[in-house]
Structures are given as structure tokens and as C-alpha cells.
């Protein structure tokens, strides 16, 4: 019963997809393996840009503020590229 339900769910995902479905239910490892060079560049840019922002506006404790902002920028970028890659694997975006 459980196997039939999951296969019917997979088939419905494939029917509703706008683009080619590579993996209807991607796991963490699959998503990370499909990150592109531009995804890594986005993480680096968001981390570096956030660090510069935190350093510029972080008086009187510049380095602590810069590191905190870099961490927030890094996590935000990783969440963004994770969701974008998941949607790409599921056929929602090209």
C-alpha cells in the first residue's frame, strides 16, 4: 500500500511539472551534488558582501558585527540555492 501511494505521488509530480523532472523527491545529498559553479559563486558573493556590510555599519564592534553578518549572508544564500536546486530537480524551474 505504501509503495503504491509513493509511486502515484511521483507520477503526479511528473505530470504537473513544467520542465524535465530529474528527481521528484530529491534528498540532501542529491541536491548538493547538483549545485553549479554559479551557486557557489552566489554563496561567496553573499558571504563577502554581508561581511563588508557588517564591517561598514558595525561600530564600535566592527569585526564581531562583520562576522555575524557574514554568517547570516552565508546561511541565507545556502537556503536560497538549496531551494532553487530542489525546484530545478523537481521540474518546477529550468
Amino acid at each position: 500500500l505504501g509503495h503504491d501511494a509513493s509511486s502515484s505521488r511521483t507520477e503526479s509530480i511528473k505530470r504537473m511539472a513544467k520542465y524535465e523532472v530529474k528527481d521528484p523527491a530529491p534528498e540532501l545529498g542529491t541536491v548538493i551534488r547538483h549545485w553549479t559553479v554559479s551557486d557557489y559563486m552566489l554563496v561567496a558573493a553573499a558571504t563577502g558582501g554581508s561581511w563588508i556590510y557588517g564591517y561598514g555599519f558595525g561600530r564600535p564592534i566592527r569585526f564581531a558585527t562583520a562576522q555575524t553578518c557574514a554568517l547570516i549572508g552565508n546561511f541565507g544564500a545556502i537556503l536560497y540555492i538549496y531551494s532553487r536546486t530542489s525546484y530545478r530537480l523537481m521540474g518546477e524551474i529550468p
Side-chain angles (χ1 to χ4, degrees):
L1 178 67
H3 180 67
D4 294 334
S6 66
S7 65
S8 66
R9 180 176 177 268
T10 301
E11 292 301 319
S12 67
I13 288 172
K14 288 181 179 180
R15 279 194 309 268
M16 293 186 310
K18 300 174 188 170
Y19 302 97
E20 176 189 1
V21 176
K22 295 178 183 172
D23 188 350
E27 295 180 358
L28 175 66
T30 306
V31 173
I32 292 173
R33 278 192 304 273
H34 283 87
W35 284 355
T36 61
V37 173
S38 64
D39 292 334
Y40 287 107
M41 291 173 64
L42 177 70
V43 171
T47 304
S50 299
W51 191 92
I52 292 169
Y53 177 82
Y55 183 81
F57 292 101
R59 291 184 196 164
I61 48 172
R62 287 186 186 268
F63 285 104
T65 305
Q67 290 171 352
T68 302
C69 286
L71 184 66
I72 293 169
N74 184 283
F75 284 156
I78 287 174
L79 289 174
Y80 175 73
I81 66 170
Y82 183 87
S83 64
R84 190 173 69 176
T85 304
S86 295
Y87 286 137
R88 189 171 63 239
L89 291 172
M90 292 187 288
E92 293 295 318
I93 60 176

